Amino acid sequence: MKKYRRILEKKRSSLNSDQTNIEIQANLETNIEILKDLFKDCSDVVFRPFFAGKLKACILFVDGFIDTAAIEVSGIKQILNEVKEKEISAEVLMEQIISLSAVEETSKLDEVVTNVLKGNTLLLIDKAKKALIFDEKGGQRRGVGEPETESAVRGPREGFTEILRVNTALIRHRIRSNRLKIISRDIGEETNTGLAILYVEGLASPELVEEVLNRIDRIKIDGVLDSGYIEEFIEDSPWSLFPQIQNTERPDTVAANLLEGRIAIIVDGTPFVLIAPATFWQFMQASSDYYNRFHISIFLRLLRIILMFFALELPSIYVAITTYHQEMIPTTLLFSIAASREAIPFPGFVEALIMEISFEALREAGVRLPQIVGQAVSILGALVIGQAAVEAGIVSAPMVIVVSITGIASFTMPRYNMAISIRLLRFPLMVLAGMFGLFGIVLGTLVILTHLCKMRSFGIPYFWPLAPMNPQSLKDIFIRVPWWAMDQRPDQTVKEDTARQTDHLKPSPKLGEEGSPT
């Protein structure tokens, strides 16, 4: 007994020890004593010994992790009813008596510990050197609901949850093909967080799949609590402000990207799924772009791109023009701006900085407060503070209008991580505008564009298909052509099966009149 305790203590102190594969003992009391020692001061771990005729056994689980009703009905009660006076083996229990859908067996004590902490139920049997694993997870969990960060007027209402297998099922429900592959990993020495890598065989290149697996396998960390941990470990340019991996709460978005040869990474415990590789233009696309008719999608997408430019450069342009280039302003408008700024004690740059920081502070306060109160604080706070600042002569009315338009423009971006990057870049551009005028804005914009053109995401150019130019793939960048015209998958991610659909799918009223199928 002391020998096993010493081995287990060494195992816990050194995860890379050669003694991790400790066998389950034939004596039930010995196994229970060893496991109770391992789970010392873990009050949520339940040991439930019971007798069924001559059979001695023990159920082991974490309270709150399992579906106790299923275990009782299909597990314990079946054993008690079927096993009378005869002795029975673990194999016979698993194959002939227990009717639970997911039952496995193990002979390793470390696998027993791992499975219990993952939410599985363990059945230890006296005189058997194996334990049965019941995968009947349950407890109080959030159900599938509408995504909160990516709402859409038209489209599916399902969003990911914090349960890994629920999320993989949502993807499998949309891609019902045996080519959809799911590779499992456990990340985190202490948390043992489950992780799934999804891809469609034949669409995702083997080199990309291997690269993603290599980057994930080299992660050695004590714990992973969200997909954001994984994102920072596997991105190409960690010092860049721009996100290089897309995250989403929508299963339909993940399914669409898998069909374009990309890879999805699902982390247990978070509803945000990672998609790689990602390009800049993916962050400007909303899921509803593909569900509305293409005329509406083209208008909204062009509007979104124009507003992205406003969110990035409008305050800088205002500062540059009012400070250095007044001759560019029409005379009537110039007189109006000059009159509103007559009593303002600060230069344009300081004025813009005050308003932008105040607006960002109100936005952050609105996020941290309860939802109903937060919306009221952010909206009323902006109105009240803006009006008070104008009346007090701290900022001018045109500056309040510029900052308001900038804030509204930043809210139109579909992806939060790209929107916050644009908001951060706004400040260095304002500094350049205050120092050098329009020349500074042009210089800063060229630096940003050069950086975007140099970046890559898992080997894919970040600014593709503009840099390098690919006219075929421009069908889904600034505009969204009709579905019957998007006949090819992106050639940067799909190398072989590039055809998305058959030819001649454009609808026509003549179909059916000349013997063609309707």
Side-chain angles (χ1 to χ4, degrees):
M1 184 65 200
K2 292 181 179 179
K3 170 188 173 184
Y4 294 119
R5 286 183 178 175
R6 288 196 301 269
I7 294 175
L8 289 169
E9 288 298 329
K10 289 180 181 179
K11 168 183 172 294
R12 286 187 288 177
S13 63
S14 177
L15 292 171
N16 296 321
S17 173
D18 294 334
Q19 298 172 342
T20 55
N21 295 325
I22 305 172
E23 300 287 340
I24 293 176
Q25 304 304 302
N27 186 276
L28 179 63
E29 285 76 13
T30 302
N31 292 327
I32 292 176
E33 190 172 351
I34 294 173
L35 290 169
K36 282 186 175 180
D37 182 64
L38 282 173
F39 289 112
K40 183 180 179 181
D41 294 330
C42 298
S43 59
D44 57 339
V45 179
V46 178
F47 290 81
R48 173 67 170 85
F50 65 94
F51 290 86
K54 294 182 179 180
L55 178 72
K56 290 196 300 182
C58 179
I59 291 282
L60 178 62
F61 60 90
V62 176
D63 191 17
F65 270 19
I66 68 165
D67 184 354
T68 53
I71 295 298
E72 289 178 2
V73 173
S74 302
I76 297 178
K77 284 188 177 180
Q78 273 193 320
I79 295 173
L80 292 174
N81 292 335
E82 297 289 337
V83 180
K84 302 299 183 182
E85 297 297 324
K86 57 184 179 181
E87 293 188 5
I88 198 166
S89 65
E91 290 80 2
V92 174
L93 275 177
M94 184 172 67
E95 295 174 3
Q96 300 181 15
I97 295 179
I98 297 174
S99 62
L100 292 170
S101 58
V103 182
E104 298 178 359
E105 61 180 35
T106 180
S107 60
K108 308 296 183 183
L109 271 176
D110 58 336
E111 293 182 6
V112 169
V113 174
T114 301
N115 278 280
V116 168
L117 295 176
K118 282 184 176 181
N120 296 325
T121 303
L122 270 293
L123 175 62
L124 296 168
I125 304 167
D126 192 28
K127 299 180 181 179
K129 292 188 176 183
K130 292 181 180 179
L132 300 185
I133 304 169
F134 303 154
D135 187 2
E136 291 293 334
K137 297 183 180 67
Q140 297 297 320
R141 302 293 179 91
R142 184 172 69 91
V144 176
E146 186 173 356
E148 295 186 4
T149 59
E150 297 177 75
S151 58
V153 176
R154 182 176 180 179
R157 300 300 189 202
E158 288 181 330
F160 289 119
T161 71
E162 286 76 12
I163 311 302
L164 177 64
R165 285 307 167 199
V166 173
N167 294 339
T168 56
L170 289 172
I171 303 300
R172 181 72 73 178
H173 178 69
R174 286 162 173 79
I175 304 179
R176 303 174 185 179
S177 169
N178 61 342
R179 295 172 65 188
L180 175 61
K181 306 302 180 182
I182 303 176
I183 302 175
S184 297
R185 290 287 190 272
D186 288 328
I187 302 293
E189 305 293 354
E190 300 297 334
T191 59
N192 280 313
T193 305
L195 181 146
I197 300 99
L198 287 76
Y199 67 96
V200 177
E201 189 177 39
L203 297 184
S205 66
E207 295 79 11
L208 177 60
V209 176
E210 184 179 358
E211 179 64 22
V212 171
L213 291 174
N214 288 339
R215 294 190 189 189
I216 290 176
D217 288 340
R218 70 169 181 244
I219 299 174
K220 303 298 180 184
I221 189 174
D222 58 349
V224 172
L225 303 178
D226 186 81
S227 57
Y229 287 49
I230 305 297
E231 181 179 358
E232 290 195 32
F233 277 112
I234 64 175
E235 60 187 358
D236 288 57
S237 303
W239 296 109
S240 175
L241 281 177
F242 291 96
Q244 298 139 61
I245 298 174
Q246 182 182 345
N247 65 73
T248 180
E249 283 188 277
R250 300 186 63 93
D252 56 321
T253 299
V254 174
N257 280 278
L258 289 174
L259 294 175
E260 291 187 346
R262 297 185 179 91
I263 294 177
I265 303 171
I266 304 178
V267 180
D268 195 18
T270 175
F272 290 93
V273 174
L274 304 179
I275 299 172
T279 64
F280 176 84
W281 305 106
Q282 280 180 241
F283 298 93
M284 303 306 300
Q285 299 168 353
S287 59
S288 56
D289 289 352
Y290 301 94
Y291 305 138
N292 293 311
R293 299 187 69 236
F294 69 95
H295 314 86
I296 302 170
S297 301
I298 291 173
F299 169 74
L300 293 178
R301 189 169 289 184
L302 291 174
L303 179 64
R304 210 176 289 141
I305 293 173
I306 293 171
L307 290 175
M308 179 198 66
F309 176 80
F310 282 4
L312 178 63
E313 299 197 344
L314 187 59
S316 306
I317 292 174
Y318 177 83
V319 169
I321 290 178
T322 56
T323 305
Y324 296 101
H325 312 285
Q326 296 89 347
E327 69 278 0
M328 299 179 63
I329 307 174
T331 305
T332 306
L333 180 59
L334 179 61
F335 287 155
S336 177
I337 294 175
S340 64
R341 286 189 47 80
E342 186 176 3
I344 305 301
F346 304 112
F349 168 70
V350 175
E351 183 185 6
L353 195 63
I354 291 173
M355 286 303 299
E356 285 292 343
I357 292 175
S358 300
F359 191 85
E360 293 297 332
L362 285 170
R363 177 155 35 191
E364 186 67 14
V367 171
R368 303 301 163 203
L369 289 171
Q371 187 174 6
I372 299 176
V373 179
Q375 292 177 352
V377 167
S378 58
I379 296 172
L380 293 176
L383 292 174
V384 172
I385 292 177
Q387 182 65 28
V390 171
E391 292 180 355
I394 298 175
V395 296
S396 61
M399 177 55 73
V400 174
I401 295 172
V402 168
V403 172
S404 300
I405 294 174
T406 304
I408 294 171
S410 65
F411 285 133
T412 62
M413 301 188 65
R415 310 294 172 190
Y416 174 78
N417 49 356
M418 179 58 76
I420 198 169
S421 299
I422 296 297
R423 283 157 51 188
L424 287 174
L425 287 171
R426 190 186 306 156
F427 290 96
L429 283 179
M430 286 167 51
V431 173
L432 290 172
M435 295 174 62
F436 306 110
L438 289 177
F439 175 76
I441 296 176
V442 173
L443 180 63
T445 304
L446 288 175
V447 170
I448 292 172
L449 289 175
T450 303
H451 174 66
L452 290 173
C453 293
K454 289 174 59 179
M455 284 176 57
R456 287 180 173 267
S457 175
F458 288 88
I460 304 299
Y462 191 64
F463 221 49
W464 177 87
L466 284 186
M469 176 64 72
N470 187 326
Q472 173 67 24
S473 298
L474 291 177
K475 294 180 178 180
D476 194 24
I477 301 300
F478 300 107
I479 62 173
R480 200 273 286 175
V481 298
W483 268 114
W484 43 262
M486 286 201 292
D487 53 351
Q488 298 292 318
R489 295 187 176 97
D491 58 7
Q492 283 286 333
T493 53
V494 180
K495 303 300 183 183
E496 297 180 0
D497 187 10
T498 58
R500 192 196 300 267
Q501 59 195 20
T502 58
D503 297 331
H504 311 299
L505 290 181
K506 180 181 178 181
S508 171
K510 295 181 180 180
L511 289 177
E513 296 180 4
E514 301 176 359
S516 301
T518 56

